[in-house]
Amino acid sequence: MPIKPSTCYECDANCPVQVQIDERGEPVAVKGPDCPRCYVQIDRRNHPERILYPLKRIGPPGSGEFERISWDTALNWIAARLDDVKGMHGASAVAFFAGYTKEARPQLQRLAHTFGSPNYMTESGCCFSATMVAEKVTFGYKIKTTSTVVSHKTRCHLIWSTNPRGSIPPFDTHPLVKLKPGRRMIVVDPRRTPMVDQADIHLQIRPGTDGALALGFHHLIFANGWQDQGFLDEWCSGVAAFQDYVRAFTPERVAEICGIDEQDLRAAVELFATSDPAQIVLSPTATVQHSNGFQNHRAIILLSAVTGNLDREGGNRFFNDKVLPKPIERFDYCRTHLPPRIGDEVFPVWTRYWPAAQSMLLPDCILDGQPQQIRALVAMGINTAMWPNSKRMEQALAALDFFVATDFFHNPATLQADIVLPAATNLERPALIAYPGCAYQGELRYRRALVAPKGEARPDGAIFLEIGQRLGMGDQFWHGDLEASWAEAAKGIPKDIRKEIYSSPDGVTVYAEAIDDLVDHGFLDADRLYRLRGFPTASGKVEFDSAELREAGYDGLPVYREPAESPVSTPEIARDFPLVLTSGARTKFDTHSQHQYIERMRRAVPNPLVEIHPHDAEPRGIVDAEPVLVRSARGAVRFIARVTERIKPGVVHCTHGCNSANVNELTDDRHLDPISGFPPFKSALCEVEKLSGAQPDPGL
């Protein structure tokens, strides 16, 4: 049977795969990385519950009552309804949302801006973007993206709330998983992840106290003279004010705040600061999904600067842009011709750096008209489980004048939609892929569709181009030709590379210009780019005290604040909800909510779990593997208990991304981070109760 090359899209790593095709032209096997997500692409294509035809809701929102309609009927109705809303309330009253998969973002964003709405949103309203903006404000460069790339020169890894075995392909074979001789490791995590088993020190902090811990690191570094004073003097701004601020974060105080042993803290700081070079390994979300997450993340990443480990081999390298496709999303038009985006009013630093509106405000916009009124929504890959206090988001979607969604399967969001359109899988759609890679190296690929879509499914991008046509803007949307839109984007790539991308199924490796610039100027070690270009920040230096943040009305220093809901800040809530609730730990068997329909994946993690320490389980009568009720001030959800010493006493961790047991029905939607707008998914309060067989089942 023939083998055809393709690219996986079960997460956004875009790993190359080989797909076996049978005599009928059907894909029957996938060979690729040793990753369970890779092997379920065919399971998704052939799943009996997959949406294969356009559907119109005929019952009340949430009823699940739909009827099949034709594509012409669906597209004409969508265009007519969008025009109606635009005519009555203006184009800004229509929002456009992109979740997973991300490949059709350019086409959807182009539709939003050409229609006249600035309010294009993405799942990055609660994922990754806050780490990027915090790093840009502080350094002018990103470092999270390169923080999991292992260098042979690194002598100490400070792994801060991430678990490569569950979150970073290729998982169990990731270079971080097996330390080479001579390397040391510190793990910061409220859970005892597999990485802890080989670490020298585990700092098992209370969720949301990351900023205090980082400032405690800084305190001890300065107190012991372990800082790189030469780098601080030449390349850093605001150090004196920062040094004054961290004096208050004594080891005794930090140990009490974080719930860790003071001697472990002292030992960890000495190990990190005196092992040269040292690298901080970061998550895209764990440090920023708190009510003070933006500043917490700044405090952490400044550890690379204070020790002189910034953009040097073995430390934390800058991420540099490579050759990229031409932008086709018309965001420049949005910035110069359209009204402010949702979020410009309250999160101006975040929107300055992120080319979208802040999606976490969407429920407020629909239900309260603040900061803008939204009356209609066009969405791909949307799930209410992405929003804190998810039931309120369900209410918001049901209250829209008009709502259309594209997806593979139904979920609590699509059940509210007026129209649901069937999306093609990655095996069934073409895409121009720009994989960011590491500090200096990236990849470009063009993936062709291997097979025709099942049923009447269509690529999301093609759907958005067709909606543009039905709205009378065909000239702006390549008259519905998806491959033509990708060809337009490819014009931004040099001609010789573009030709190779289209002819080579393996793609093309591209390199950042920065490496050539360094070598051309005699810096043969090809690191410490700041020696050539400085830092693209307000001061041209590392900003310990950020002028940009101060000008926007925020603290310039990475000031620590207790989580908005915690045993310390809200003791009155803690009386009823005494346990700290965190969530979001990754496993290799799912990407958020995308794989819960796939039987092979559910065999590995069959139940939505709440991890609870035996010290907390015993007085509550909770037994391992039995059902429990997790309650917060916002609701109650049923989980299955996993009684384990791998979670910190006083803390519970819940599985995320499960439609039948959605932890975000419990999380706080009122205390968003004041700079990024990110919700505190990972630090709230809850109680866990034993469920008897006679009690009602509130979650499943």
Side-chain angles (χ1 to χ4, degrees):
M1 288 188 283
I3 303 292
K4 293 187 178 182
S6 188
T7 304
C8 181
Y9 200 91
E10 297 305 309
C11 68
D12 56 4
N14 291 294
C15 298
V17 296
Q18 301 291 318
V19 182
Q20 191 173 52
I21 307 295
D22 69 9
E23 62 278 0
R24 302 169 299 152
E26 281 293 307
V28 292
V30 178
K31 183 179 180 181
D34 185 17
C35 169
R37 303 177 196 175
C38 169
Y39 307 129
V40 299
Q41 296 173 76
I42 296 173
D43 298 40
R44 169 176 284 119
R45 171 175 161 82
N46 297 328
H47 199 284
E49 294 180 42
R50 182 181 170 190
I51 299 169
L52 294 176
Y53 305 97
L55 301 173
K56 180 181 179 181
R57 180 169 51 78
I58 55 174
S63 65
E65 298 175 29
F66 289 87
E67 67 177 6
R68 178 178 170 181
I69 58 175
S70 71
W71 271 103
D72 271 344
T73 299
L75 292 167
N76 287 336
W77 199 48
I78 292 166
R81 293 302 307 273
L82 294 180
D83 267 338
D84 287 346
V85 174
K86 181 177 181 178
M88 294 177 64
H89 306 288
S92 295
V94 181
F96 297 76
F97 174 83
Y100 275 79
T101 62
K102 302 178 183 179
E103 287 179 349
R105 282 184 174 188
Q107 290 84 1
L108 180 59
Q109 189 168 10
R110 184 181 184 89
L111 176 61
H113 299 333
T114 307
F115 180 75
S117 174
N119 291 321
Y120 163 79
M121 304 172 168
T122 76
E123 47 75 42
S124 297
C126 65
C127 178
F128 169 68
S129 62
T131 60
M132 184 276 283
V133 177
E135 291 160 11
K136 287 274 194 173
V137 165
T138 307
F139 300 145
Y141 292 99
K142 295 183 285 186
I143 66 167
K144 184 278 137 195
T145 308
T146 58
S147 74
T148 58
V149 178
V150 174
S151 166
H152 68 281
K153 290 189 176 181
T154 302
R155 291 184 57 212
C156 179
H157 293 285
L158 174 53
I159 299 182
W160 205 297
S161 291
T162 190
N163 172 29
R165 283 186 169 174
S167 61
I168 311 173
F171 306 113
D172 293 315
T173 58
H174 192 281
L176 281 168
V177 170
K178 292 187 178 179
L179 281 180
K180 292 183 178 180
R183 293 192 189 181
R184 312 295 294 277
M185 180 184 290
I186 304 158
V187 173
V188 178
D189 205 301
R191 303 169 73 234
R192 186 178 176 88
T193 68
M195 302 304 295
V196 172
D197 297 337
Q198 58 183 317
D200 297 272
I201 301 167
H202 177 205
L203 298 176
Q204 197 170 22
I205 65 170
R206 173 166 59 90
T209 63
D210 308 77
L213 179 60
L215 295 169
F217 266 64
H218 288 288
H219 173 100
L220 285 168
I221 289 169
F222 283 118
N224 288 282
W226 291 327
Q227 74 271 23
D228 186 332
Q229 195 62 47
F231 177 78
L232 295 176
D233 290 343
E234 184 175 1
W235 293 108
C236 299
S237 172
V239 177
F242 178 75
Q243 191 168 357
D244 286 343
Y245 179 66
V246 302
R247 284 193 179 98
F249 288 84
T250 62
E252 299 83 3
R253 181 187 176 204
V254 169
E256 182 179 0
I257 291 172
C258 299
I260 58 176
D261 182 81
E262 181 185 334
Q263 294 308 310
D264 286 345
L265 170 62
R266 290 179 179 274
V269 177
E270 182 173 4
L271 180 58
F272 173 76
T274 61
S275 301
D276 183 35
Q279 178 191 39
I280 311 171
V281 180
L282 296 161
S283 161
T285 58
T287 55
V288 291
Q289 289 179 341
H290 303 278
S291 58
N292 193 53
F294 190 94
Q295 295 286 32
N296 288 354
H297 189 75
R298 290 188 67 230
I300 295 165
I301 62 175
L302 281 167
L303 289 169
S304 285
V306 80
T307 55
N309 282 307
L310 192 59
D311 200 35
R312 57 175 295 201
E313 187 63 30
N316 282 96
R317 302 304 304 271
F318 291 156
F319 175 84
N320 296 283
D321 290 332
K322 296 89 180 173
V323 172
L324 291 170
K326 170 186 171 182
I328 61 171
E329 72 281 352
R330 303 197 76 200
F331 181 59
D332 285 345
Y333 174 82
C334 173
R335 284 192 295 190
T336 56
H337 290 83
L338 298 182
R341 288 167 280 154
I342 292 167
D344 280 334
E345 308 90 342
V346 282
F347 307 117
V349 172
W350 183 85
T351 55
R352 186 179 305 153
Y353 286 91
W354 194 254
Q358 178 40 282
S359 54
M360 292 298 98
L361 296 174
L362 186 55
D364 293 340
C365 293
I366 298 169
L367 295 173
D368 304 329
Q370 297 296 329
Q372 299 180 32
Q373 182 71 62
I374 292 298
R375 298 181 180 276
L377 177 65
V378 179
M380 70 171 176
I382 189 172
N383 190 333
T384 55
M386 195 192 88
W387 275 265
N389 196 4
S390 302
K391 286 296 184 184
R392 185 167 183 267
M393 181 57 177
E394 282 187 40
Q395 295 167 9
L397 294 180
L400 286 164
D401 293 350
F402 180 66
F403 171 29
V404 56
T406 67
D407 218 312
F408 306 125
F409 302 100
H410 277 302
N411 65 54
T414 65
L415 294 179
Q416 314 302 319
D418 297 285
I419 297 286
V420 180
L421 301 175
T425 71
N426 57 290
L427 297 177
E428 304 165 341
R429 64 176 188 258
L432 178 63
I433 298 163
Y435 186 62
C438 59
Y440 294 121
Q441 181 177 312
E443 296 176 2
L444 294 170
R445 298 192 189 101
Y446 190 76
R447 187 193 65 230
R448 291 177 169 82
L450 289 188
V451 290
K454 280 266 188 177
E456 294 183 5
R458 296 184 183 181
D460 298 276
I463 294 170
F464 305 136
L465 299 184
E466 183 59 34
I467 292 173
Q469 282 211 111
R470 302 290 172 123
L471 288 165
M473 303 181 293
D475 290 345
Q476 291 278 357
F477 290 93
W478 300 278
H479 299 285
D481 187 337
L482 179 59
E483 298 230 43
S485 73
W486 291 128
E488 182 72 23
K491 290 180 181 178
I493 301 168
K495 190 173 182 180
D496 56 334
I497 299 177
R498 190 191 327 156
K499 183 177 179 182
E500 190 176 354
I501 290 167
Y502 275 89
S503 62
S504 171
D506 297 324
V508 178
T509 300
V510 291
Y511 300 91
E513 291 182 1
I515 192 169
D516 292 330
D517 288 349
L518 284 163
V519 172
D520 289 347
H521 285 79
F523 299 118
L524 299 182
D525 46 11
D527 63 12
R528 290 168 288 171
L529 183 62
Y530 54 82
R531 296 176 295 178
L532 182 62
R533 299 184 181 176
F535 291 87
T537 60
S539 65
K541 299 181 177 183
V542 173
E543 300 240 327
F544 281 76
D545 188 355
S546 169
E548 184 174 1
L549 291 178
R550 279 190 278 105
E551 288 171 6
Y554 305 114
D555 293 310
L557 295 171
V559 169
Y560 173 71
R561 288 185 171 82
E562 181 70 19
E565 187 175 289
S566 83
V568 177
S569 60
T570 55
E572 70 285 358
I573 297 177
R575 282 194 292 269
D576 295 323
F577 304 102
L579 298 171
V580 176
L581 171 65
T582 192
S583 63
R586 308 301 195 246
T587 81
K588 61 184 178 182
F589 300 102
D590 53 72
T591 304
H592 306 304
S593 65
Q594 293 182 81
H595 293 101
Q596 59 189 280
Y597 292 93
I598 309 299
E599 183 180 352
R600 279 200 284 179
M601 302 295 257
R602 293 282 59 82
R603 290 176 196 154
V605 188
N607 296 308
L609 300 173
V610 54
E611 295 176 323
I612 185 169
H613 195 276
H615 290 171
D616 300 312
E618 184 178 358
R620 292 169 170 81
I622 292 171
V623 178
D624 187 62
E626 290 193 351
V628 294
L629 191 66
V630 183
R631 293 191 297 109
S632 78
R634 287 151 294 274
V637 177
R638 177 182 166 179
F639 289 87
I640 300 299
R642 173 173 284 174
V643 180
T644 174
E645 293 185 350
R646 286 190 171 268
I647 188 72
K648 183 179 179 66
V651 176
V652 298
H653 173 273
C654 289
T655 305
H656 82 291
C658 183
N659 289 337
S660 62
N662 173 17
V663 66
N664 282 334
E665 292 179 19
L666 308 177
T667 52
D668 179 9
D669 62 337
R670 292 306 186 190
H671 294 98
L672 305 181
D673 180 280
I675 302 174
S676 68
F678 271 41
F681 285 145
K682 302 191 186 304
S683 48
L685 291 175
C686 74
E687 178 59 292
V688 183
E689 300 173 353
K690 180 181 177 67
L691 267 180
S692 67
Q695 287 181 283
D697 180 349
L700 292 179

